[in-house]
PDB file of all heavy atoms in Angstrom:
ATOM      1  N   ASP A  42      27.804   9.416 -15.350  1.00 55.00           N
ATOM      2  CA  ASP A  42      26.702   9.892 -14.526  1.00 55.00           C
ATOM      3  C   ASP A  42      25.541   8.910 -14.556  1.00 55.00           C
ATOM      4  O   ASP A  42      24.863   8.721 -13.551  1.00 55.00           O
ATOM      5  CB  ASP A  42      26.213  11.264 -14.999  1.00 55.00           C
ATOM      6  CG  ASP A  42      27.210  12.365 -14.661  1.00 55.00           C
ATOM      7  OD1 ASP A  42      28.076  12.112 -13.800  1.00 55.00           O
ATOM      8  OD2 ASP A  42      27.104  13.453 -15.246  1.00 55.00           O
ATOM      9  N   THR A  43      25.306   8.281 -15.695  1.00 55.00           N
ATOM     10  CA  THR A  43      24.190   7.346 -15.784  1.00 55.00           C
ATOM     11  C   THR A  43      24.457   6.087 -14.978  1.00 55.00           C
ATOM     12  O   THR A  43      23.526   5.417 -14.578  1.00 55.00           O
ATOM     13  CB  THR A  43      23.888   6.965 -17.247  1.00 55.00           C
ATOM     14  OG1 THR A  43      25.064   6.404 -17.840  1.00 55.00           O
ATOM     15  CG2 THR A  43      23.419   8.163 -18.039  1.00 55.00           C
ATOM     16  N   LYS A  44      25.729   5.751 -14.738  1.00 60.00           N
ATOM     17  CA  LYS A  44      26.037   4.588 -13.903  1.00 60.00           C
ATOM     18  C   LYS A  44      25.699   4.865 -12.444  1.00 60.00           C
ATOM     19  O   LYS A  44      25.198   4.009 -11.743  1.00 60.00           O
ATOM     20  CB  LYS A  44      27.514   4.211 -14.022  1.00 60.00           C
ATOM     21  CG  LYS A  44      27.877   3.566 -15.333  1.00 60.00           C
ATOM     22  CD  LYS A  44      29.348   3.214 -15.342  1.00 60.00           C
ATOM     23  CE  LYS A  44      29.748   2.590 -16.668  1.00 60.00           C
ATOM     24  NZ  LYS A  44      31.178   2.301 -16.721  1.00 60.00           N
ATOM     25  N   THR A  45      25.988   6.057 -11.954  1.00 66.00           N
ATOM     26  CA  THR A  45      25.719   6.382 -10.555  1.00 66.00           C
ATOM     27  C   THR A  45      24.304   6.880 -10.352  1.00 66.00           C
ATOM     28  O   THR A  45      23.766   6.761  -9.265  1.00 66.00           O
ATOM     29  CB  THR A  45      26.712   7.447 -10.057  1.00 66.00           C
ATOM     30  OG1 THR A  45      26.589   8.610 -10.867  1.00 66.00           O
ATOM     31  CG2 THR A  45      28.122   6.919 -10.072  1.00 66.00           C
ATOM     32  N   LYS A  46      23.691   7.421 -11.381  1.00 77.00           N
ATOM     33  CA  LYS A  46      22.365   7.995 -11.239  1.00 77.00           C
ATOM     34  C   LYS A  46      21.314   6.965 -10.827  1.00 77.00           C
ATOM     35  O   LYS A  46      20.529   7.242  -9.933  1.00 77.00           O
ATOM     36  CB  LYS A  46      21.959   8.704 -12.526  1.00 77.00           C
ATOM     37  CG  LYS A  46      20.702   9.511 -12.375  1.00 77.00           C
ATOM     38  CD  LYS A  46      20.430  10.340 -13.587  1.00 77.00           C
ATOM     39  CE  LYS A  46      19.195  11.173 -13.337  1.00 77.00           C
ATOM     40  NZ  LYS A  46      18.894  12.036 -14.442  1.00 77.00           N
ATOM     41  N   PRO A  47      21.258   5.772 -11.443  1.00 77.00           N
ATOM     42  CA  PRO A  47      20.248   4.805 -10.996  1.00 77.00           C
ATOM     43  C   PRO A  47      20.389   4.448  -9.518  1.00 77.00           C
ATOM     44  O   PRO A  47      19.399   4.297  -8.825  1.00 77.00           O
ATOM     45  CB  PRO A  47      20.483   3.588 -11.889  1.00 77.00           C
ATOM     46  CG  PRO A  47      21.099   4.130 -13.121  1.00 77.00           C
ATOM     47  CD  PRO A  47      21.939   5.290 -12.636  1.00 77.00           C
ATOM     48  N   LYS A  48      21.627   4.346  -9.028  1.00 81.00           N
ATOM     49  CA  LYS A  48      21.827   4.030  -7.617  1.00 81.00           C
ATOM     50  C   LYS A  48      21.297   5.169  -6.746  1.00 81.00           C
ATOM     51  O   LYS A  48      20.613   4.931  -5.754  1.00 81.00           O
ATOM     52  CB  LYS A  48      23.307   3.775  -7.335  1.00 81.00           C
ATOM     53  CG  LYS A  48      23.581   3.323  -5.929  1.00 81.00           C
ATOM     54  CD  LYS A  48      25.031   3.020  -5.719  1.00 81.00           C
ATOM     55  CE  LYS A  48      25.262   2.557  -4.288  1.00 81.00           C
ATOM     56  NZ  LYS A  48      26.658   2.314  -4.018  1.00 81.00           N
ATOM     57  N   ASP A  49      21.610   6.409  -7.137  1.00 85.00           N
ATOM     58  CA  ASP A  49      21.110   7.564  -6.397  1.00 85.00           C
ATOM     59  C   ASP A  49      19.590   7.625  -6.448  1.00 85.00           C
ATOM     60  O   ASP A  49      18.938   7.927  -5.447  1.00 85.00           O
ATOM     61  CB  ASP A  49      21.697   8.857  -6.950  1.00 85.00           C
ATOM     62  CG  ASP A  49      23.193   8.971  -6.714  1.00 85.00           C
ATOM     63  OD1 ASP A  49      23.711   8.268  -5.816  1.00 85.00           O
ATOM     64  OD2 ASP A  49      23.847   9.764  -7.426  1.00 85.00           O
ATOM     65  N   ASP A  50      19.044   7.339  -7.627  1.00 87.00           N
ATOM     66  CA  ASP A  50      17.595   7.341  -7.771  1.00 87.00           C
ATOM     67  C   ASP A  50      16.958   6.278  -6.887  1.00 87.00           C
ATOM     68  O   ASP A  50      15.940   6.525  -6.248  1.00 87.00           O
ATOM     69  CB  ASP A  50      17.185   7.102  -9.228  1.00 87.00           C
ATOM     70  CG  ASP A  50      17.463   8.300 -10.117  1.00 87.00           C
ATOM     71  OD1 ASP A  50      17.700   9.400  -9.563  1.00 87.00           O
ATOM     72  OD2 ASP A  50      17.446   8.136 -11.352  1.00 87.00           O
ATOM     73  N   MET A  51      17.567   5.107  -6.843  1.00 89.00           N
ATOM     74  CA  MET A  51      17.017   4.032  -6.014  1.00 89.00           C
ATOM     75  C   MET A  51      17.077   4.411  -4.537  1.00 89.00           C
ATOM     76  O   MET A  51      16.144   4.129  -3.783  1.00 89.00           O
ATOM     77  CB  MET A  51      17.777   2.720  -6.256  1.00 89.00           C
ATOM     78  CG  MET A  51      17.511   2.097  -7.606  1.00 89.00           C
ATOM     79  SD  MET A  51      15.769   1.735  -7.877  1.00 89.00           S
ATOM     80  CE  MET A  51      15.527   0.457  -6.667  1.00 89.00           C
ATOM     81  N   GLU A  52      18.166   5.053  -4.119  1.00 90.00           N
ATOM     82  CA  GLU A  52      18.273   5.492  -2.729  1.00 90.00           C
ATOM     83  C   GLU A  52      17.207   6.530  -2.411  1.00 90.00           C
ATOM     84  O   GLU A  52      16.593   6.494  -1.348  1.00 90.00           O
ATOM     85  CB  GLU A  52      19.665   6.052  -2.456  1.00 90.00           C
ATOM     86  CG  GLU A  52      20.749   4.990  -2.408  1.00 90.00           C
ATOM     87  CD  GLU A  52      22.144   5.582  -2.249  1.00 90.00           C
ATOM     88  OE1 GLU A  52      22.259   6.818  -2.103  1.00 90.00           O
ATOM     89  OE2 GLU A  52      23.108   4.816  -2.285  1.00 90.00           O
ATOM     90  N   GLU A  53      16.987   7.452  -3.346  1.00 91.00           N
ATOM     91  CA  GLU A  53      15.974   8.479  -3.141  1.00 91.00           C
ATOM     92  C   GLU A  53      14.573   7.861  -3.098  1.00 91.00           C
ATOM     93  O   GLU A  53      13.756   8.209  -2.244  1.00 91.00           O
ATOM     94  CB  GLU A  53      16.042   9.515  -4.262  1.00 91.00           C
ATOM     95  CG  GLU A  53      15.075  10.656  -4.076  1.00 91.00           C
ATOM     96  CD  GLU A  53      15.193  11.708  -5.163  1.00 91.00           C
ATOM     97  OE1 GLU A  53      16.134  11.635  -5.972  1.00 91.00           O
ATOM     98  OE2 GLU A  53      14.333  12.578  -5.180  1.00 91.00           O
ATOM     99  N   ILE A  54      14.324   6.914  -3.985  1.00 92.00           N
ATOM    100  CA  ILE A  54      13.025   6.232  -4.004  1.00 92.00           C
ATOM    101  C   ILE A  54      12.828   5.462  -2.699  1.00 92.00           C
ATOM    102  O   ILE A  54      11.750   5.505  -2.103  1.00 92.00           O
ATOM    103  CB  ILE A  54      12.921   5.299  -5.229  1.00 92.00           C
ATOM    104  CG1 ILE A  54      12.811   6.133  -6.506  1.00 92.00           C
ATOM    105  CG2 ILE A  54      11.749   4.351  -5.093  1.00 92.00           C
ATOM    106  CD1 ILE A  54      12.953   5.326  -7.774  1.00 92.00           C
ATOM    107  N   HIS A  55      13.882   4.782  -2.250  1.00 92.00           N
ATOM    108  CA  HIS A  55      13.809   4.035  -0.990  1.00 92.00           C
ATOM    109  C   HIS A  55      13.526   4.980   0.179  1.00 92.00           C
ATOM    110  O   HIS A  55      12.695   4.689   1.043  1.00 92.00           O
ATOM    111  CB  HIS A  55      15.100   3.256  -0.760  1.00 92.00           C
ATOM    112  CG  HIS A  55      15.105   2.443   0.478  1.00 92.00           C
ATOM    113  ND1 HIS A  55      14.324   1.325   0.627  1.00 92.00           N
ATOM    114  CD2 HIS A  55      15.778   2.602   1.645  1.00 92.00           C
ATOM    115  CE1 HIS A  55      14.528   0.827   1.839  1.00 92.00           C
ATOM    116  NE2 HIS A  55      15.396   1.577   2.471  1.00 92.00           N
TER     117      HIS A  55
END
Side-chain angles (χ1 to χ4, degrees):
D42 288 343
T43 57
K44 287 181 181 177
T45 59
K46 190 172 183 178
K48 185 177 180 183
D49 293 340
D50 288 345
M51 289 302 293
E52 288 175 4
E53 183 178 351
I54 290 170
H55 181 70

